[in-house]
């Protein structure tokens, strides 16, 4: 480790929540790296529960089937409405090999909850399974467009992230900075932190050199100098000039289950949650408040820097499906799912124009014109793999044709009476 030999890395945690907790240890002198999966807060975690008001509605919970079990992570919908940006370690083994065999993506929006399935995965080609080295990035491709009310996020393309306050959101474990992770995962929470440095300052501290410019690092402050990680280790890291004691009760730290979750600058995804780090010196002294790697005060967090990988993300967007009139969920087929979208919001005026809301015409109203588009193109395209048969819509046609006639007659009679 050269001139940094007297620093002992006490732990490295990827924010992956595993059904059976998995840990992979890499011992190098007194260095220990272990994997685990949350958001801890300065104050009561209940005050950081995310409301479904549209801001974080496209931050999603991922339940991923892997060859070694089930894991839970977090992701964020990209602005094409078909892709989820997340961390590569959620989908791979410790060597970076893809082990994910399927995934369910839970959307919780102001319009309700919807679960979609993944159709495929793309892992960054430079990912080796070593979070400290970087490139911890992957895209989950959906089999259909995101549900009504889920608007994807743009990615941040600026290079001025260091020093900026970011808003973080995730489904991981929770607790407070004094106790670390003590509450279960599964609740979406959000809060703030500040990017203090590029991950480059940890070169020589981790078991491998970080990819230059590809990571953003922050710490979990409680307003005291003794638990300011960048100040405590400032002589070695060269970070004593940061002078950041935190954001008060708004400050949060990532934890297990937040893996792959987004950090936003101006509503754009600037970082993807990757791993946690606890340092102690040769005397066993540390900025960590409880001497345990558990998302508590005095620990470091690392995000994959999205602007560094912007070209790769752009190049791996899902190809938009060929347009088929009546294919409201963009799964390449006009069938019952599309009819359900119309029926579920029948005779409603929408606050947004969206095919996923049943609005095939784009006039923000769901009615006969939208139904006609679906029925007139019934069976067009290729049925999804899970569809064994293609039901005939004859009964629906008869039912709604009769309803249409009644509706027209009613309107006609009203006109005559006036």
């Amino acid at each position: 480790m050269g001139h940094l030999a007297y620093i002992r890395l006490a732990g490295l945690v990827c924010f992956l929540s595993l059904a059976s907790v998995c840990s992979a240890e890499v011992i190098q002198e007194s260095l220990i790296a272990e994997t685990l999966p949350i958001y801890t807060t300065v104050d009561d975690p209940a005050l950081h529960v995310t409301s479904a008001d549209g801001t974080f509605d496209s931050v999603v919970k991922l339940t991923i089937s892997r060859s070694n079990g089930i894991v839970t992570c977090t992701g964020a919908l990209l602005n094409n409405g078909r892709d989820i940006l997340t961390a590569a370690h959620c989908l791979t083994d410790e060597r970076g090999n893809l082990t994910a065999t399927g995934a369910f993506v839970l959307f919780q929006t102001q319009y309700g909850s919807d679960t979609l399935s993944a159709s495929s995965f793309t892992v960054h080609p430079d990912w080796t399974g070593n979070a400290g080295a970087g490139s911890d990035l992957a895209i989950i491709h959906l089999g259909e467009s995101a549900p009504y009310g889920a608007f994807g996020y743009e990615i941040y393309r600026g290079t001025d992230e260091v020093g900026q306050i970011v808003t973080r959101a995730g489904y991981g474990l929770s607790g407070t900075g004094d106790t670390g992770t003590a509450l279960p995962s599964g609740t979406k929470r959000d809060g703030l932190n500040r990017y203090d440095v590029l991950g480059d300052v940890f070169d020589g501290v981790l078991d491998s050199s970080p990819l230059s410019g590809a990571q953003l690092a922050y710490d979990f402050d409680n307003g005291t100098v003794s638990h300011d990680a960048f100040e405590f280790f400032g002589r070695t890291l060269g970070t004593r000039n940061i002078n950041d004691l935190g954001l008060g009760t708004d400050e949060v730290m990532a934890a297990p289950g937040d893996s792959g979750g987004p950090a936003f600058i101006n509503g754009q995804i600037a970082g993807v949650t990757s791993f946690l780090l606890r340092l102690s010196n040769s005397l066993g002294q540390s900025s960590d408040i409880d001497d345990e790697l558990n998302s508590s005060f005095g620990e470091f967090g690392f995000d994959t820097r999205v602007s560094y990988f912007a070209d790769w993300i752009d190049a791996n967007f899902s190809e938009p499906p060929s347009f088929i009139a009546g294919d409201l969920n963009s799964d390449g087929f006009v069938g019952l799912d599309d009819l359900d979208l119309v029926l579920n919001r029948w005779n409603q005026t929408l606050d947004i124009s969206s095919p996923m809301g049943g609005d095939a015409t784009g006039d923000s109203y769901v009615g006969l014109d939208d139904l006609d588009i679906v029925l007139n193109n019934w069976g067009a395209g290729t049925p999804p793999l899970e569809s064994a048969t293609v039901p005939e819509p004859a009964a629906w046609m008869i039912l709604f044709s009769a309803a249409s006639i009644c509706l027209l007659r009613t309107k006609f009679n009203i006109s005559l009476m006036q």
Side-chain angles (χ1 to χ4, degrees):
M1 291 188 177
H3 67 289
L4 297 175
Y6 68 93
I7 285 292
R8 178 167 65 87
L9 177 62
L12 174 70
V13 172
C14 292
F15 308 126
L16 172 67
S17 184
L18 214 49
S20 55
V21 174
C22 92
S23 65
E25 296 189 355
V26 179
I27 301 176
Q28 175 184 328
E29 298 179 7
S30 54
L31 179 154
I32 299 175
E34 57 180 328
T35 60
L36 248 175
I38 301 187
Y39 268 131
T40 54
T41 63
V42 171
D43 56 350
D44 185 350
L47 300 176
H48 295 262
V49 174
T50 300
S51 60
D53 61 358
T55 305
F56 302 110
D57 285 8
S58 293
V59 176
V60 297
K61 180 182 178 182
L62 306 175
T63 303
I64 303 167
S65 299
R66 302 196 325 192
S67 56
N68 64 334
I70 306 294
V71 302
T72 59
C73 284
T74 300
L77 179 69
L78 293 173
N79 64 335
N80 67 346
R82 301 277 302 205
D83 295 322
I84 305 295
L85 191 64
T86 190
H89 73 259
C90 294
L91 306 174
T92 67
D93 62 18
E94 66 275 5
R95 295 183 178 83
N97 300 311
L98 180 67
T99 57
T101 57
F104 292 109
V105 180
L106 173 65
F107 288 87
Q108 292 179 306
T109 74
Q110 54 190 318
Y111 301 101
S113 296
D114 295 272
T115 300
L116 304 186
S117 299
S119 61
S120 60
F121 310 101
T122 301
V123 175
H124 195 279
D126 294 334
W127 170 245
T128 63
N130 186 339
S135 303
D136 188 8
L137 204 62
I139 296 174
I140 296 177
H141 307 286
L142 299 176
E144 58 187 271
S145 292
Y148 178 68
F151 301 100
Y153 305 107
E154 300 276 350
I155 61 174
Y156 192 77
R157 299 176 186 272
T159 56
D160 58 348
E161 302 98 330
V162 173
Q164 293 213 52
I165 294 174
V166 295
T167 304
R168 314 184 63 85
Y171 276 93
L173 301 176
S174 193
T176 68
D178 291 309
T179 63
T181 55
L183 299 177
S185 61
T187 299
K188 191 190 304 184
R189 293 181 171 89
D190 65 270
L192 306 178
N193 208 303
R194 186 193 309 271
Y195 284 140
D196 294 301
V197 296
L198 293 178
D200 302 39
V201 304
F202 292 87
D203 190 14
V205 177
L206 303 177
D207 61 331
S208 59
S209 295
L211 180 63
S212 180
Q215 293 174 326
L216 294 160
Y218 55 99
D219 62 5
F220 194 19
D221 294 299
N222 66 351
T224 66
V225 173
S226 59
H227 298 300
D228 178 4
F230 280 111
E231 170 66 22
F232 192 95
F233 297 103
R235 180 171 298 180
T236 303
L237 299 176
T239 56
R240 278 193 163 175
N241 62 338
I242 292 178
N243 298 320
D244 177 21
L245 296 181
L247 302 170
T249 57
D250 290 329
E251 180 131 333
V252 297
M253 169 60 90
D258 290 325
S259 288
F264 297 101
I265 295 178
N266 298 328
Q268 300 175 331
I269 307 173
V272 171
T273 302
S274 183
F275 69 94
L276 184 73
L277 172 67
R278 177 183 183 274
L279 289 179
S280 60
N281 61 25
S282 58
L283 299 177
Q285 299 169 327
S286 177
S287 56
D288 188 6
I289 198 169
D290 62 1
D291 297 326
E292 182 181 349
L293 183 57
N294 60 355
S295 301
S296 56
F297 290 131
E299 296 177 1
F300 299 94
F302 289 73
D303 286 353
T304 300
R305 189 183 187 187
V306 169
S307 65
Y308 185 94
F309 296 96
D311 289 344
W312 178 81
I313 295 171
D314 291 341
N316 286 279
F317 265 21
S318 291
E319 289 292 328
S322 299
F323 175 74
I324 301 175
D327 179 18
L328 306 187
N329 65 350
S330 300
D331 66 352
F333 178 71
V334 182
L336 285 177
D337 289 340
D338 306 294
L339 183 59
D340 283 343
L341 291 174
V342 174
L343 298 182
N344 286 339
R345 290 188 173 83
W346 183 256
N347 202 31
Q348 292 183 26
T349 299
L350 308 181
D351 54 356
I352 54 174
S353 174
S354 169
M356 291 300 294
D359 179 21
T361 61
D363 62 359
S364 296
Y365 175 76
V366 182
L368 287 175
D369 291 340
D370 306 293
L371 179 66
D372 284 343
I373 291 176
V374 172
L375 296 182
N376 289 336
N377 293 280
W378 191 266
T382 302
L385 294 177
E386 61 269 20
S387 299
T389 60
V390 180
E392 293 295 333
W396 291 107
M397 284 182 159
I398 295 171
L399 173 63
F400 278 95
S401 293
S404 301
I405 293 171
C406 291
L407 179 63
L408 291 174
R409 284 179 176 172
T410 300
K411 288 183 176 179
F412 180 71
N413 290 334
I414 291 175
S415 298
L416 289 179
M417 291 174 63
Q418 292 176 342

